[in-house]
Amino acid sequence: MRYCAKCILPHTRPGISLDKDGICSACRGHLDKINNIDWNSRGRQFDKLIAWAKRKANTYDCIVPVSGGKDSWYQVEKAQKYGLKILCVTWKTPGRTDIGQQNLDGMIAKLGVDHIDFTINPDIERKFMVAAFEKKGATAIPMHMALFSIPMRLAVQSRIPLIIWGENPQLEYGGPKKDRLVTDLNQEWINKYGVTNGTKIEDWVGVNGLTNQDLTGYSLPSAGDLNLFQPKSIFLGSYFRWNSFENAKIAKDYGFKSEQADLKTGSWHFADIDCHFISLHHFLKWYKFGFLRSFDHLSIEIRYGLINRSEAIEKLETIGFQQPVEDVKRFCHFANKNVHWFWDVAERFRNKTIWKLQAGEWKIPGFIAKNWNWSEK
């Protein structure tokens, strides 16, 4: 395993690359944010985009995909400052948490927005999640397909010209330089970066009995529909310098709640609290790539200057595995499977190029944290 010389991300993280100095592309992207990106110019481009959307719109000016999380509040608040008429759209996770529902309700009421909570047939969701987990070791493929497809289809069908997303993952988490300031989340971008394990919707037809009609809720607009009307889909993080801690503060000022939420994954109490199943998505990276959500969060804290690399490693050792035991039980209950099934499937995806069996225990040679508890269960 090789790790970034500045943060604690490993070279195995999808999308990450280390340069000749051992610095990861995410750290380089952060330096671009500080030193090389003209944010005033980006802001002026956003002004022109907003003016274009208002001219083109007949009903709503934009769709803002939301979960109720801190970034959702920030996205809506930012769009309202520009005088946009907003339609908020949510893919309703089958594992929505109580705090997630409270925050979503609070956002709608306190910020005052129209909202669609889009539920996919739970039987179809169950079949798809089970198929994705068993075939790719990734429970969140259906989630990511739905997250992108639902707002896109609604925008096309309702002739809404603009979709405003939040964080730009290629800038924040290490994408290639040419994609760090992407200004159009088109079908090509979604296929490449949409966290679908390189699959498209047609790859799932026939798997676990799923039909093309079953998968309508996960399907992007057709090429024919996009030829008739193609909305512009953008990241706010491509136009304004992104800071998760500042976003959380803005959201809390309006009423976002996170203090009572359990820290299930990562090191931030205000993140990944909307869904019981998101912890599984992050935990399965441990088997495949040898890192966890805490690696991402602590690395961002290093880039923000909140901690140094040694402190991040100490925190990593304190946080540990964060095994989502209760969420595994919830997922298995939803999937109509027993818990052994989950762990057996997860084990099939253990990456044995980085994991080695030592004295009957799986370990990662060269792991960044020396005082690590390797007991997984």
Side-chain angles (χ1 to χ4, degrees):
M1 290 280 280
R2 293 180 292 119
Y3 297 88
C4 175
K6 281 189 173 291
C7 71
I8 60 172
L9 290 183
H11 78 283
T12 52
R13 191 193 192 285
I16 279 287
S17 60
L18 302 182
D19 65 17
K20 60 182 177 59
D21 298 318
I23 309 299
C24 77
S25 46
C27 286
R28 291 299 186 197
H30 184 73
L31 291 174
D32 275 349
K33 281 171 60 175
I34 296 171
N35 300 319
N36 300 325
I37 297 173
D38 185 344
W39 292 108
N40 290 327
S41 174
R42 302 299 300 176
R44 290 191 293 272
Q45 291 179 46
F46 190 74
D47 291 340
K48 292 179 181 179
L49 182 63
I50 296 306
W52 167 84
K54 288 181 176 179
R55 289 195 305 271
K56 194 171 179 65
N58 293 316
T59 54
Y60 295 98
D61 298 319
C62 69
I63 284 177
V64 178
V66 298
S67 67
K70 62 172 178 28
D71 292 340
S72 300
W73 291 66
Y74 169 73
Q75 288 162 244
V76 172
E77 187 260 359
K78 194 74 166 179
Q80 288 179 330
K81 279 188 174 179
Y82 279 82
L84 292 167
K85 177 59 178 173
I86 303 165
L87 174 62
C88 288
V89 176
T90 303
W91 162 74
K92 186 175 182 180
T93 165
R96 183 175 287 168
T97 62
D98 290 341
I99 189 69
Q101 186 67 59
Q102 291 172 34
N103 279 326
L104 184 60
D105 292 342
M107 187 199 73
I108 294 164
K110 292 177 182 179
L111 294 181
V113 292
D114 295 348
H115 176 255
I116 294 174
D117 206 8
F118 195 108
T119 302
I120 292 177
N121 179 340
D123 288 334
I124 303 302
E125 196 100 63
R126 180 181 300 108
K127 286 182 180 180
F128 196 0
M129 288 184 75
V130 168
F133 182 43
E134 291 183 335
K135 189 173 181 180
K136 294 291 184 178
T139 57
I141 291 174
M143 174 187 77
H144 287 104
M145 285 188 171
L147 285 175
F148 286 110
S149 68
I150 293 167
M152 285 287 289
R153 282 203 323 278
L154 287 173
V156 170
Q157 292 165 3
S158 302
R159 300 298 192 264
I160 301 171
L162 185 62
I163 304 172
I164 299 179
W165 301 88
E167 183 180 65
N168 179 345
Q170 272 55 60
L171 185 57
E172 302 301 318
Y173 296 102
K177 189 169 185 176
K178 66 182 179 63
D179 292 335
R180 285 181 195 160
L181 283 179
V182 62
T183 55
D184 188 8
L185 278 72
N186 55 26
Q187 201 149 355
E188 181 183 354
W189 184 95
I190 292 170
N191 291 339
K192 188 175 181 181
Y193 294 118
V195 199
T196 62
N197 282 57
T199 67
K200 299 178 183 178
I201 200 67
E202 52 265 30
D203 297 322
W204 297 99
V205 174
V207 180
N208 209 9
L210 293 167
T211 67
N212 194 61
Q213 188 174 19
D214 289 337
L215 296 168
T216 299
Y218 307 95
S219 302
L220 290 164
S222 68
D225 287 339
L226 289 172
N227 284 334
L228 295 174
F229 185 89
Q230 185 157 6
K232 187 84 170 172
S233 188
I234 59 102
F235 287 122
L236 273 181
S238 292
Y239 294 92
F240 302 96
R241 188 184 295 181
W242 196 261
N243 187 305
S244 295
F245 290 91
E246 290 178 5
N247 293 356
K249 183 181 183 304
I250 290 169
K252 287 178 180 179
D253 288 343
Y254 281 97
F256 171 75
K257 300 181 186 303
S258 63
E259 290 78 7
Q260 63 269 52
D262 295 332
L263 185 62
K264 295 184 176 186
T265 186
S267 62
W268 299 349
H269 282 273
F270 52 73
D272 300 316
I273 62 175
D274 311 319
C275 175
H276 287 299
F277 299 156
I278 194 67
S279 60
L280 277 61
H281 165 64
H282 291 304
F283 183 68
L284 288 166
K285 299 171 187 175
W286 182 240
Y287 288 85
K288 293 178 170 183
F289 312 115
F291 81 101
L292 297 154
R293 185 59 160 167
S294 48
F295 283 69
D296 283 322
H297 287 171
L298 292 169
S299 292
I300 290 174
E301 290 180 44
I302 292 172
R303 294 179 206 125
Y304 288 172
L306 300 175
I307 57 176
N308 61 39
R309 194 171 186 268
S310 296
E311 290 169 335
I313 294 171
E314 289 178 10
K315 283 192 173 186
L316 185 68
E317 292 172 342
T318 300
I319 293 169
F321 285 119
Q322 293 182 309
Q323 277 190 314
V325 175
E326 293 304 313
D327 288 345
V328 168
K329 292 178 182 177
R330 290 185 180 96
F331 173 62
C332 290
H333 177 75
F334 174 73
N336 294 328
K337 301 284 188 178
N338 62 50
V339 172
H340 294 295
W341 163 81
F342 177 88
W343 295 111
D344 288 345
V345 173
E347 188 61 42
R348 292 208 319 261
F349 290 91
R350 189 184 293 276
N351 181 354
K352 294 178 183 176
T353 63
I354 59 173
W355 285 95
K356 303 300 176 186
L357 200 58
Q358 299 178 0
E361 196 167 45
W362 285 108
K363 296 183 179 180
I364 300 174
F367 191 64
I368 194 169
K370 304 305 179 188
N371 300 315
W372 188 259
N373 178 9
W374 290 101
S375 299
E376 296 189 23
K377 295 180 185 178

